[in-house]
Amino acid sequence: MTELRIAIVGFGKIARDQHLSAIAATPGATLAAVASRNASLPGLPHFATIEELLEKGPPIDAVSLCTPPQVRRAQAAAALAAGKHVMLEKPPGTGVAELDPLIAMAADAKRTLFATWHSRYAPAVEPARQWLAERRITSVHISWKEDVRVWHPGQGWIWEPGGLGVFDPGINALSILTKILPQAVFVTAAELAFPANCQAPIAAKLTLTDIGGLPISAEFDFRQTGPQSWDVLVETDQGRLTLSGGGRRMAIDGKTVAEAPDEEYRELYRRFVDLAATCASDVDLAPLRLVADAFLLGKRTIVEPFVD
């Protein structure tokens, strides 16, 4: 098998915490370079920008874009124009429409565009989807509450336009929701709480449904200082399914039936290697559409300023 030579673009917390080890553990993938203004990795070629990487860097086949979403569209376009496969960290962009030209570019260039949703690869998500497929779902509730100072320290971009605020982790829950339910869902109402000094929400409540009228509610909050929650509760005609730990554990009526270590990012890179082998793309925008509709429909309130 020919190794997929990958360059990481944007070498921040998520790249260090997840992408490095995932690439190292993925057969058929190798890390060939890093492009980042503020960080490098000993022993690897380093470049300040993706443009410098593409012009002066070593031979690569693909880029993994771990930069803030506000700049990913231009970086993806540059990489595709240079004939590289592209992996997009979540969310894939700051808007839905900006992805369409990239999808077309990838198709024309016969290159892979992979919009990743790492939480869909949590070990209990697929078992949950299979279990729900054989039952009648009566309601769904999402509780996704974490301390932003613990999980996103110093990441000022998250509070800027396009940074998504609490939807940066909240979109993970929506990616799970749209994976495990048998029908497409849509937002009917939203309440968004914006800190007085920020351009993105610190908390949100969503009301959703599907074409059959399924009641779905979601609560996202960045201000959680006690126990953290990344939970999806699904009531059915044959019991309650609970996905907890961001999709790592599945329980039926309180009894754990599926649990495994976190290998989400390894699964992402395995998928990327497979896609690149056939120059196929995988770009599901359903979670991003739900967030966009929440902003469109949301009632906004102003809360106390946020100080990191």
Side-chain angles (χ1 to χ4, degrees):
M1 177 187 295
T2 301
E3 290 282 309
L4 186 70
R5 300 165 296 183
I6 302 170
I8 291 178
V9 180
F11 201 55
K13 178 176 172 56
I14 194 67
R16 290 182 178 275
D17 290 352
Q18 299 290 352
H19 289 257
L20 279 183
S21 59
I23 293 173
T26 302
T30 186
L31 182 59
V34 169
S36 176
R37 294 186 184 279
N38 303 311
S40 61
L41 192 64
L44 274 184
H46 171 258
F47 305 90
T49 66
I50 189 172
E51 290 80 11
E52 184 181 5
L53 166 72
L54 294 171
E55 180 182 356
K56 302 177 181 179
I60 60 171
D61 307 298
V63 298
S64 179
L65 299 184
C66 303
T67 48
Q70 293 94 329
V71 298
R72 286 200 203 123
R73 179 197 58 77
Q75 292 174 336
L80 289 169
K84 313 304 178 186
H85 304 292
V86 175
M87 173 190 277
L88 300 168
E89 246 292 357
K90 63 86 192 169
T94 56
V96 180
E98 72 179 25
L99 274 299
D100 290 335
L102 296 179
I103 294 169
M105 283 188 69
D108 290 344
K110 294 182 173 56
R111 290 295 179 267
T112 291
L113 181 65
F114 183 25
T116 65
W117 301 108
H118 66 83
S119 290
R120 287 182 173 178
Y121 292 83
V125 170
E126 178 57 20
R129 186 196 67 78
Q130 294 178 14
W131 191 85
L132 291 171
E134 299 178 352
R135 287 154 178 88
R136 182 174 63 84
I137 301 169
T138 57
S139 69
V140 182
H141 178 68
I142 293 169
S143 177
W144 221 258
K145 300 179 180 181
E146 63 183 56
D147 187 342
V148 66
R149 293 180 177 87
V150 172
W151 299 100
H152 303 271
Q155 296 181 17
W157 60 266
I158 208 169
W159 302 111
E160 297 298 325
L164 296 192
V166 75
F167 285 115
D168 181 72
I171 204 169
N172 294 332
L174 298 175
S175 74
I176 291 174
L177 180 74
T178 52
K179 176 69 172 181
I180 65 174
L181 293 188
Q183 296 191 90
V185 301
F186 50 92
V187 179
T188 60
E191 299 177 18
L192 311 178
F194 283 73
N197 59 338
C198 297
Q199 300 298 311
I202 197 167
K205 294 182 180 180
L206 304 188
T207 303
L208 308 96
T209 191
D210 64 9
I211 197 68
L214 176 67
I216 305 169
S217 59
E219 295 182 72
F220 308 119
D221 205 322
F222 255 165
R223 301 167 295 190
Q224 185 82 353
T225 56
Q228 313 284 281
S229 65
W230 300 281
D231 305 328
V232 180
L233 284 69
V234 186
E235 299 286 354
T236 80
D237 61 344
Q238 298 181 42
R240 168 185 283 190
L241 178 147
T242 302
L243 278 175
S244 56
R248 294 183 182 92
R249 292 182 299 278
M250 170 181 162
I252 305 300
D253 292 332
K255 181 180 179 180
T256 299
V257 296
E259 184 173 11
D262 175 13
E263 292 191 354
E264 296 173 14
Y265 278 85
R266 294 185 186 186
E267 293 298 327
L268 286 182
Y269 276 98
R270 291 178 189 130
R271 174 69 169 153
F272 191 36
V273 169
D274 289 345
L275 288 169
T278 59
C279 298
S281 289
D282 182 352
V283 185
D284 180 7
L285 300 181
L288 186 60
R289 289 193 184 100
L290 294 178
V291 172
D293 284 350
F295 278 102
L296 184 65
L297 295 171
K299 176 183 178 181
R300 304 187 178 206
T301 60
I302 303 301
V303 298
E304 63 277 4
F306 173 76
V307 180
D308 199 348

